[in-house]
Amino acid sequence: MPVKIRLQRHGKKGKPFYWIVAADARSKRDGKYLEKLGTYNPNTNPAQVDLDIDGAVTWLQNGAQPTDTAKAILSYKGAMLKNHLVGGVRKGALTEEQAEEKFQAWVDEKAGKITAKVDGLEKAKADAKAKAFEAEVKVNEERAAAAKEVEEAAIKAEADAKAAEAAANAEPVEEKGPESIDDAQNAASEEA
């Protein structure tokens, strides 16, 4: 019976969630399986993978063939490396302690990379949020300045309208002045 390690789709439309299973190669994609090895959630960033590494290694040692995507996930979690190291122990190339030490060193390094990626994503998210906030503050200041200009223009227009109304309502003051130069000279001589 050819066994494959593959993904079984679950979740709803547009939000996939996968089980990593060991199943008969002839069974349907979402059909019967022999053993559930873990889960894979690609909806998060970075993708969340829970995997029984020892179970996966056992199936790989027994000849199960992973599909391309399953092989990538097994490599990401270290199951393929552990399978390789177990093969080296079986051949006598290294001891079990050395194999476990190498595997733990790889796991620690991988955890550091994942933590760095998560920190980078959080920093980028915080930077984007701060940048959006600065842009919003700038837009709000521009709006406030525009509103102030409109308000000042309205006050000035109201004052101009009041002044024009006052000028229109005021009675014209007529000063009687000399009508001609001769009249002015006669008026000046009479005063003297």
Side-chain angles (χ1 to χ4, degrees):
M1 171 175 83
V3 176
K4 287 228 176 239
I5 296 176
R6 63 183 181 201
L7 300 180
Q8 233 184 32
R9 183 173 169 139
H10 293 273
K12 62 183 183 177
K13 182 169 71 172
K15 298 283 187 181
F17 185 83
Y18 298 96
W19 287 0
I20 303 167
V21 297
D24 185 354
R26 297 166 290 188
S27 66
K28 297 177 184 177
R29 178 191 75 174
D30 297 335
K32 281 199 289 185
Y33 58 90
L34 301 170
E35 183 181 354
K36 179 180 173 184
L37 300 174
T39 60
Y40 168 57
N41 183 4
N43 298 316
T44 60
N45 189 11
Q48 185 178 6
V49 179
D50 296 321
L51 182 68
D52 176 15
I53 295 174
D54 294 329
V57 169
T58 302
W59 279 106
L60 290 170
Q61 291 291 317
N62 290 336
Q65 293 298 311
T67 61
D68 293 339
T69 307
K71 188 173 187 176
I73 291 171
L74 293 175
S75 293
Y76 178 78
K77 292 303 278 185
M80 298 301 283
L81 174 65
K82 190 159 188 176
N83 181 41
H84 176 72
L85 293 173
V86 168
V89 168
R90 191 173 53 232
K91 291 178 183 175
L94 45 116
T95 64
E96 202 165 316
E97 292 82 22
Q98 290 173 329
E100 191 62 34
E101 184 180 310
K102 283 185 177 185
F103 181 70
Q104 281 304 320
W106 182 88
V107 167
D108 293 341
E109 181 183 342
K110 186 70 171 182
K113 287 180 182 178
I114 292 171
T115 304
K117 181 178 181 181
V118 168
D119 292 343
L121 289 170
E122 287 177 359
K123 185 174 187 269
K125 188 175 181 182
D127 289 346
K129 191 174 183 180
K131 193 173 183 180
F133 181 73
E134 289 175 10
E136 187 175 335
V137 166
K138 184 179 177 185
V139 167
N140 286 343
E141 288 174 356
E142 290 173 359
R143 283 184 187 155
K148 189 173 182 180
E149 288 177 14
V150 167
E151 187 178 320
E152 288 174 358
I155 291 172
K156 186 177 179 185
E158 187 178 320
D160 291 345
K162 283 184 181 179
E165 185 179 319
N169 289 340
E171 294 181 16
V173 178
E174 290 186 28
E175 291 185 17
K176 290 198 173 185
E179 293 180 11
S180 68
I181 296 176
D182 293 333
D183 293 339
Q185 287 175 351
N186 290 340
S189 63
E190 288 177 6
E191 291 176 7

